[in-house]
């Protein structure tokens, strides 16, 4: 089973700042099959990125994903008030599909 | 656009079987475009994939739960279901249903892509 480790656990930033979230896999993720989700309190996760860098339908272009192998990054270029949330990465290259433990982006 | 909604008891006794249903609207569960999955999230914790099914009945399970999980589909009702047996307090979680897209394997068969596109709002199941 591939273990995903996200860092940092919490990111304290101000609106307008750039957020860089990391996701590291315990082994190489096949074909860059990595997704990112955003989850707000009391809500279901929302798909942001699949295939490491493809934005899902309706996702603003301030969200971008990059990486391959074992190291992946989600970047939010300029934080909007609605972007403060918890972000999860997920690998789907190998079964069982697994999630990281999450990074919370909070208002500084 | 697809909409999914989970339903089922919010409280289950230890050692009993948890049963949940996901009702799909805005699309057919019999469509060849989608696979259907269950994911759970214990309170304050991360996400765990449980199982996935295709309208034809093909199933995919997380090995850590496979011995206790059954996923099934009812195309006549546009629903799919989850059963988790012998529950304990560790199974207390918000349970989500979700849709998945597909790809083709080397033999030309559709396989689920393991990420989750549309999610239900989730339902909290407490084991106590």
């Amino acid at each position: 089973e591939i273990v995903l480790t996200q860092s940092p656990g919490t990111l304290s930033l101000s609106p307008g700042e750039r957020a860089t979230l990391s996701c590291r896999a315990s082994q190489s993720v096949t074909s860059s099959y990595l997704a990112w989700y955003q989850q707000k309190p009391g809500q279901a996760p929302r798909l942001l990125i699949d295939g490491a860098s493809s934005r899902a339908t309706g996702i603003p272009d301030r969200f971008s994903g990059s990486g391959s192998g074992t190291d992946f990054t989600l970047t939010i270029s300029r934080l909007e008030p609605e972007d403060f949330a918890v972000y999860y990465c997920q690998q789907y290259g190998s079964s069982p599909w697994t999630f990281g433990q999450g990074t919370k982006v909070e208002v500084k | 656009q697809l909409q999914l909604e989970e339903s089922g008891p919010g409280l289950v006794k230890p050692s009993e079987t948890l049963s949940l249903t996901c009702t799909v609207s805005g699309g057919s569960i019999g469509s060849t475009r989608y696979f259907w999955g269950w994911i759970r999230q214990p309170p304050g914790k991360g996400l765990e994939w449980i199982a996935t099914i295709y309208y034809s009945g093909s199933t995919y399970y997380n090995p850590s739960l496979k011995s206790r999980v059954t996923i099934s589909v009812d195309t006549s009702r546009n629903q799919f279901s989850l059963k988790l047996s012998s529950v304990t307090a560790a199974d207390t979680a918000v349970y989500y249903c979700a849709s998945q897209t597909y790809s083709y394997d080397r033999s030309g068969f559709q396989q689920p892509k393991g990420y989750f596109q549309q999610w239900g709002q989730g339902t909290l199941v407490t084991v106590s």
Side-chain angles (χ1 to χ4, degrees), chain A:
Chain A
E1 171 173 323
I2 295 179
V3 176
L4 298 177
T5 301
Q6 292 186 241
S7 61
T10 302
L11 199 51
S12 298
L13 295 168
S14 301
E17 290 194 294
R18 181 184 188 89
T20 303
L21 288 67
S22 174
C23 177
R24 177 161 291 178
S26 60
Q27 54 188 283
S28 185
V29 176
T30 304
S31 303
S32 294
Y33 280 169
L34 188 111
W36 290 92
Y37 301 84
Q38 176 193 68
Q39 186 176 35
K40 297 179 181 178
Q43 296 185 18
R46 177 174 71 143
L47 178 68
L48 299 175
I49 301 282
D50 65 83
S53 60
S54 297
R55 275 188 301 277
T57 302
I59 302 304
D61 60 7
R62 65 180 180 273
F63 291 92
S64 63
S66 63
S68 63
T70 60
D71 290 300
F72 298 87
T73 301
L74 175 70
T75 302
I76 310 171
S77 59
R78 286 177 53 87
L79 282 163
E80 297 288 339
E82 62 267 29
D83 299 337
F84 292 92
V86 178
Y87 293 83
Y88 293 96
C89 59
Q90 181 221 347
Q91 69 80 23
Y92 55 97
S94 304
S95 185
W97 307 315
T98 52
F99 294 83
Q101 82 282 12
T103 289
K104 181 180 182 179
V105 179
E106 66 175 20
V107 179
K108 186 174 181 178

Side-chain angles (χ1 to χ4, degrees), chain B residues 7-28:
Chain B
S7 60
L11 183 64
V12 180
K13 289 181 167 49
S15 80
E16 294 190 345
T17 296
L18 177 162
S19 296
L20 295 173
T21 295
C22 181
T23 301
V24 177
S25 57
S28 171

Side-chain angles (χ1 to χ4, degrees), chain B residues 39-114:
Chain B
I39 308 99
R40 70 180 182 178
Q41 184 173 35
K45 296 188 178 179
L47 299 155
E48 180 179 34
W49 168 63
I50 303 170
T52 290
I53 193 165
Y54 194 43
Y55 80 95
S56 63
S58 296
T59 55
Y60 308 80
Y61 291 102
N62 188 326
S64 68
L65 296 166
K66 184 176 182 178
S67 64
R68 298 195 291 130
V69 171
T70 302
I71 188 172
S72 59
V73 64
D74 185 341
T75 54
S76 66
R77 297 188 176 191
N78 230 34
Q79 296 176 334
F80 63 106
S81 298
L82 175 74
K83 291 187 186 300
L84 178 65
S85 64
S86 304
V87 298
T88 70
D91 296 309
T92 293
V94 176
Y95 286 77
Y96 296 100
C97 59
S99 65
Q100 298 174 245
T101 187
Y102 65 91
S103 60
Y104 290 100
D105 64 19
R106 294 177 183 177
S107 302
F109 292 103
Q110 281 182 294
Q111 298 293 334
K113 276 198 164 180

